[in-house]
Amino acid sequence: MKKVKAKKHLGQHFLEDLNIAENIVNLLEFKNETILEIGPGMGVLTQFLVKKNIDFEVIELDRESVFYLRLNYPKLKIIEGDFLKINISEIYTKPMSLIGNFPYNISSQILFKAFENRNTITEVVGMFQKEVAERIASLKGKKKGILSVLLQAFYNIEYCFTVDEYVFNPPPKVKSGVIKLVRNTRKKLDCDEKLFIQIVKTGYNQRRKTLRNSLKSFSLEPNSEIDILLQKRAEQLDVEDFIKLTQHVEKKRNK
Ligand code: SAH
């Protein structure tokens, strides 16, 4: 059967190493009854997932890949479309898992969508550009970013393994990293969530500055407790620290 021609604009790099594909699939805990694979391409992960006794479906944007999958996996449930456009909470009413060798051009958007639907998407196993995977999983330091903090608030995140370029066709320019996110027990933040996101974003937008400078617009009143935090830079703070800062701003606003 003719293979799918890799298209750059869809971020298509097809994994050819079956051991790696099986290892990725086995990272799932199979606690959720429903699993959605994003961007199956020619089905390198799909072939292992269809063997499991689960409610499983795939979403693929590329018509040529959908055609290929229909021929090779006649029973497979395929949503032909764009993952970024589907309404998760309308389609899925029970906790579900996401898996995929994700299209790298939309990896942040996929993760942000998981964050927004965190009570439905309780597990994510996926391959990203190595740098992105490391950033999401990193707890402290230069690699950390806005999405790391937001996701770490609600998921336990593990960097699982690195994948070399040459196991893909065509090989990407960079190495890849596989990570696993599992929803933690936190129901909600102990502060105003919108304000929390705003503070994290503002802090990271000027990440070289100390928070005292980058968060100037919030007119934080220094007190002994948050003074230590304000001397640091955004990347040095963890989720709890950002919650503390948010609570401080809230208190001041309610005065
Ligand atoms: N999982 C396959 C293919 C990875 S390449 C493998 O490992 O070999 C990424 C895949 O995501 C491609 O098949 C591409 O067509 C698909 N894709 C890209 N953007 C998408 C989107 N917005 N929604 C769903 N699938 C998408």
Side-chain angles (χ1 to χ4, degrees):
M1 153 108 212
K2 202 169 132 271
K3 290 200 169 165
V4 174
K5 192 171 165 285
K7 298 162 201 77
K8 214 173 179 180
H9 71 282
L10 290 172
Q12 287 181 334
H13 297 278
F14 298 111
L15 177 66
E16 298 201 315
D17 186 314
L18 297 188
N19 282 327
I20 296 175
E22 191 167 17
N23 288 341
I24 294 173
V25 169
N26 285 336
L27 288 171
L28 284 170
E29 291 178 2
F30 296 103
K31 282 186 188 150
N32 289 337
E33 286 167 29
T34 307
I35 295 179
L36 174 67
E37 183 188 352
I38 303 174
M42 284 184 279
V44 68
L45 299 179
T46 318
Q47 63 188 306
F48 295 104
L49 286 157
V50 289
K51 288 188 201 151
K52 311 272 180 187
N53 190 17
I54 42 163
D55 179 13
F56 170 61
E57 57 190 345
V58 303
I59 180 158
E60 175 57 66
L61 186 56
D62 176 33
R63 290 178 75 182
E64 198 186 342
S65 297
V66 170
F67 183 76
Y68 181 98
L69 291 164
R70 289 218 168 103
L71 279 179
N72 286 278
Y73 302 92
K75 286 192 200 139
L76 181 65
K77 279 195 252 172
I78 306 175
I79 306 172
E80 187 171 352
D82 183 342
F83 172 73
L84 298 178
K85 294 202 178 131
I86 60 169
N87 187 328
I88 296 285
S89 58
E90 246 173 42
I91 305 177
Y92 302 99
T93 49
K94 285 192 207 154
M96 49 94 73
S97 304
L98 285 184
I99 186 165
N101 289 342
F102 298 126
Y104 295 163
N105 47 346
I106 56 164
S107 37
S108 299
Q109 284 138 290
I110 292 175
L111 286 167
F112 200 73
K113 189 152 180 163
F115 170 75
E116 287 178 323
N117 292 282
R118 57 189 173 266
N119 292 331
T120 309
I121 301 173
T122 60
E123 182 185 41
V124 183
V125 166
M127 181 135 71
F128 298 88
Q129 241 172 273
K130 181 167 183 253
E131 197 198 321
V132 174
E134 282 176 340
R135 179 159 7 116
I136 299 304
S138 121
L139 291 173
K140 269 202 164 76
K142 288 214 170 60
K143 285 184 179 152
K144 243 180 112 178
I146 297 167
L147 207 47
S148 333
V149 182
L150 301 187
L151 288 166
Q152 283 166 20
F154 293 102
Y155 292 91
N156 295 329
I157 306 177
E158 186 192 342
Y159 185 92
C160 304
F161 53 87
T162 301
V163 181
D164 283 329
E165 304 84 316
Y166 59 83
V167 296
F168 295 91
N169 185 20
K173 288 207 176 72
V174 290
K175 289 197 192 304
S176 302
V178 177
I179 52 172
K180 172 172 165 171
L181 296 83
V182 178
R183 184 75 172 87
N184 63 20
T185 53
R186 195 196 296 273
K187 293 251 163 20
K188 59 184 192 53
L189 299 177
D190 289 328
C191 62
D192 179 327
E193 191 176 307
K194 281 206 183 107
L195 186 61
F196 172 87
I197 296 176
Q198 213 184 333
I199 289 179
V200 173
K201 283 188 174 166
T202 314
Y204 270 98
N205 281 341
Q206 293 179 301
R207 56 190 300 156
R208 296 238 165 72
K209 292 193 179 170
T210 62
L211 290 159
R212 187 184 304 289
N213 287 318
S214 58
L215 299 182
K216 252 194 184 128
S217 59
F218 293 94
S219 346
L220 295 157
E221 279 167 28
N223 64 24
S224 58
E225 191 195 28
I226 65 154
D227 235 9
I228 310 162
L229 298 179
L230 293 179
Q231 287 164 23
K232 297 185 181 180
R233 279 175 276 136
E235 63 203 31
Q236 295 172 293
L237 263 57
D238 62 17
V239 174
E240 301 306 325
D241 296 333
F242 274 112
I243 291 177
K244 248 188 232 162
L245 283 182
T246 312
Q247 286 169 338
H248 181 83
V249 175
E250 270 178 307
K251 247 190 256 159
K252 213 193 68 191
R253 286 186 180 176
N254 293 336
K255 258 186 199 166

